[in-house]
mmCIF file of all heavy atoms in Angstrom:
data_model
loop_
_atom_site.group_PDB
_atom_site.id
_atom_site.type_symbol
_atom_site.label_atom_id
_atom_site.label_comp_id
_atom_site.label_asym_id
_atom_site.label_seq_id
_atom_site.Cartn_x
_atom_site.Cartn_y
_atom_site.Cartn_z
ATOM 1 N N TYR A 380 -9.725 -15.720 -2.793
ATOM 2 C CA TYR A 380 -8.553 -15.596 -3.662
ATOM 3 C C TYR A 380 -7.389 -14.931 -2.939
ATOM 4 O O TYR A 380 -7.535 -13.877 -2.312
ATOM 5 C CB TYR A 380 -8.898 -14.784 -4.913
ATOM 6 C CG TYR A 380 -7.691 -14.456 -5.757
ATOM 7 C CD1 TYR A 380 -7.050 -15.434 -6.507
ATOM 8 C CD2 TYR A 380 -7.171 -13.160 -5.779
ATOM 9 C CE1 TYR A 380 -5.933 -15.143 -7.268
ATOM 10 C CE2 TYR A 380 -6.051 -12.864 -6.540
ATOM 11 C CZ TYR A 380 -5.433 -13.850 -7.280
ATOM 12 O OH TYR A 380 -4.323 -13.551 -8.021
ATOM 13 N N TYR A 388 1.741 -8.748 -8.838
ATOM 14 C CA TYR A 388 1.132 -7.924 -7.796
ATOM 15 C C TYR A 388 1.451 -8.428 -6.397
ATOM 16 O O TYR A 388 0.902 -7.944 -5.413
ATOM 17 C CB TYR A 388 -0.384 -7.848 -8.011
ATOM 18 C CG TYR A 388 -0.718 -7.406 -9.411
ATOM 19 C CD1 TYR A 388 -1.200 -8.312 -10.347
ATOM 20 C CD2 TYR A 388 -0.497 -6.094 -9.814
ATOM 21 C CE1 TYR A 388 -1.465 -7.916 -11.655
ATOM 22 C CE2 TYR A 388 -0.756 -5.689 -11.113
ATOM 23 C CZ TYR A 388 -1.240 -6.606 -12.029
ATOM 24 O OH TYR A 388 -1.484 -6.201 -13.312
ATOM 25 N N ASP A 487 10.017 11.629 -18.670
ATOM 26 C CA ASP A 487 8.811 12.401 -18.353
ATOM 27 C C ASP A 487 9.101 13.349 -17.191
ATOM 28 O O ASP A 487 9.698 12.945 -16.191
ATOM 29 C CB ASP A 487 7.693 11.427 -17.967
ATOM 30 C CG ASP A 487 6.327 12.083 -17.909
ATOM 31 O OD1 ASP A 487 6.240 13.230 -17.433
ATOM 32 O OD2 ASP A 487 5.341 11.432 -18.312
#
Side-chain angles (χ1 to χ4, degrees):
Y380 172 72
Y388 307 106
D487 192 321

